[in-house]
Amino acid sequence: MLTAEPASAPSATPPGTARRLAWLDAIRGIGALAVLLEHMLYRFLPGLRPYWFNLGIYGVLVFFLVSGYIIPASLEHRGDVRSFWIGRLFRLYPLYLLVIAVVLALTPLIPLRRAVTPDLATAAAHVTMLVDVVGAAGVADTMWTLSYEMVFYLLVTALFVLGAHRRSGRWAVVFAVLAPVVGAVLAAPVLARGPAAFIALAAFAAGLACVLTGSGRLRAAGALVLGGLAVTLVLLGGRTPWLGPAILAVMFTGTVLYRWERGGPGGRGGLRAVAAVAVALFVVPFVAVEAGWWAYPRVWITTVLLAGATFALGMALRRRAVPRVLVWLGVISYSVYLLHHPLLKLFLVLFGDPRERPVAVQAWLALGFLAVVLLASWLTYRLVELPMQRLGRRLAGSRPAGT
């Protein structure tokens, strides 16, 4: 299944900001629940799993719209690339590394995924989180979407440093148009996994170092390295070539909606850009090599429409009270996203395949598994995510802006 990080989940925010952004937390909660159900329903109560759209990709697209909406806003509000990156690294990596450690520790009981090649190239891919765009596979199934989250960070950072970040609609349309073009030309990634992983690690480290510590031409050169790396990997390295530019189009669409809502620079013509992106994305499955049933035209188009409608509904109701359970799910969504699949594999080892049980037993097992995932996610949020976010804010020396 395709998921995303999501992807990025919220950190603690000032009280006023938290109330203002509660609708984003709620949408994250819906996205996390959709991804969880996609994997759960495959094993528990499979008759309830929908096939007219894909729950997992729906959840991922919702996550990416939220990231596109809030990440550039966070960077621009801070006005400080160093502070932004410290916040992001302490937001994503602690739990990510913990999940990797747990998965590796459980390998005597639960073997690594067949797609994972246990070598230095895979390790390098995990260091940068760029696993999916260097042809590698994450040790946890859902980690592939973090690749596109990281690519977006690199690209947004480059655009910000170079002063080209305001025209979000242009970037959204460019990547949306590239999706069917790449899909029609490429059926598989061009870049070889080993060289791509090592070169990406070197470019990532060098470019980020120049941007964070340099000034003037050195800083601009670092930004060009990061932007070039992001575009090259997403166009030539993705295991499903057209999906990378499609995801970037979705994320920049989130940014377009942020600017349109505020009526600032880059906001004019926002809705036209959103419509153009939608049309280009609808074309993709008709010209691209299919990547599973989720890429069938009717399934893909319906999934994209539902994700867009969910975000639009959230925006329309953003000034109203939000159900607390959805906000809570959004707050712990990163933990839910990364933990649920390893926990599902552990469940299957300990209790067997639920599909072999009566339907009533499957239902009770599903409720029990859901409770375990939510409890574990709440604990890792409280014990891992929050402390690391606070440490990151202290090191950055500034308060977060809704991320």
Side-chain angles (χ1 to χ4, degrees):
M1 188 239 60
L2 176 145
T3 98
E5 179 206 141
S8 72
S11 64
T13 58
T17 303
R19 286 194 297 271
R20 180 170 54 84
L21 298 180
W23 69 277
L24 288 173
D25 286 337
I27 292 176
R28 283 188 181 107
I30 293 170
L33 184 61
V35 174
L36 173 59
L37 287 175
E38 167 66 18
H39 289 132
M40 274 187 60
L41 293 178
Y42 180 74
R43 296 289 184 178
F44 303 87
L45 304 169
L48 297 181
R49 188 184 184 202
Y51 287 93
W52 55 279
F53 80 107
N54 184 274
L55 268 171
I57 297 180
Y58 160 80
V60 167
L61 293 179
V62 166
F63 272 125
F64 283 139
L65 280 168
V66 172
S67 287
Y69 182 94
I70 199 64
I71 292 300
S74 172
L75 176 56
E76 293 164 20
H77 179 82
R78 295 169 190 264
D80 178 5
V81 174
R82 176 182 172 275
S83 174
F84 168 79
W85 272 97
I86 290 175
R88 288 292 91 194
L89 295 177
F90 277 84
R91 176 68 190 91
L92 295 181
Y93 271 92
L95 182 64
Y96 171 78
L97 294 174
L98 175 63
V99 171
I100 290 175
V102 170
V103 170
L104 294 179
L106 289 174
T107 50
L109 187 63
I110 307 172
L112 282 177
R113 303 169 58 203
R114 293 180 181 177
V116 177
T117 303
D119 59 12
L120 289 178
T122 295
H126 280 79
V127 170
T128 60
M129 288 191 180
L130 295 170
V131 289
D132 203 66
V133 290
V134 296
V139 297
D141 299 55
T142 56
M143 286 179 177
W144 72 268
T145 57
L146 297 181
S147 304
Y148 299 99
E149 192 84 9
M150 188 59 72
V151 162
F152 187 63
Y153 296 166
L154 296 175
L155 193 52
V156 167
T157 298
L159 293 174
F160 180 80
V161 171
L162 298 172
H165 58 291
R166 292 291 181 182
R167 299 300 176 187
S168 307
R170 178 182 303 167
W171 301 116
V173 173
V174 165
F175 283 110
V177 171
L178 283 173
V181 172
V182 171
V185 174
L186 298 178
V190 173
L191 304 178
R193 182 181 64 89
F198 292 123
I199 293 172
L201 176 58
F204 181 98
L208 200 57
C210 291
V211 167
L212 299 184
T213 63
S215 60
R217 291 183 178 178
L218 181 61
R219 195 164 184 254
L224 288 173
V225 169
L226 295 181
L229 175 66
V231 172
T232 300
L233 292 180
V234 84
L235 295 181
L236 302 178
R239 289 190 292 168
T240 303
W242 62 265
L243 189 58
I247 287 173
L248 285 182
V250 169
M251 297 181 88
F252 276 112
T253 296
T255 312
V256 169
L257 292 172
Y258 167 79
R259 299 197 191 288
W260 171 78
E261 180 191 13
R262 281 153 179 75
R268 293 183 293 273
L271 294 185
R272 290 194 297 272
V274 172
V277 168
V279 171
L281 292 184
F282 292 164
V283 170
V284 172
F286 294 98
V287 299
V289 177
E290 294 179 352
W293 69 270
W294 57 268
Y296 293 168
R298 70 178 186 277
V299 176
W300 169 256
I301 292 172
T302 305
T303 303
V304 171
L305 285 173
L306 286 175
T310 300
F311 194 85
L313 182 62
M315 285 191 71
L317 301 177
R318 63 190 179 278
R319 293 183 177 86
R320 299 192 178 187
V322 179
R324 291 185 179 181
V325 65
L326 290 182
V327 175
W328 179 74
L329 276 174
V331 168
I332 66 169
S333 60
Y334 187 41
S335 283
V336 171
Y337 187 78
L338 284 186
L339 289 177
H340 78 272
H341 212 277
L343 288 175
L344 177 59
K345 289 185 174 181
L346 181 60
F347 177 94
L348 295 176
V349 169
L350 296 177
F351 300 103
D353 192 337
R355 292 174 295 186
E356 299 175 355
R357 312 287 182 88
V359 172
V361 175
Q362 290 184 41
W364 282 109
L365 289 173
L367 290 174
F369 175 73
L370 180 62
V372 169
V373 170
L374 295 180
L375 176 60
S377 299
W378 178 77
L379 289 173
T380 53
Y381 173 75
R382 298 289 299 180
L383 301 178
V384 178
E385 293 189 62
L386 272 183
M388 291 297 100
Q389 290 169 25
R390 289 167 181 155
L391 176 59
R393 289 199 294 275
R394 287 198 295 270
L395 292 176
S398 63
R399 295 182 68 87
T403 60

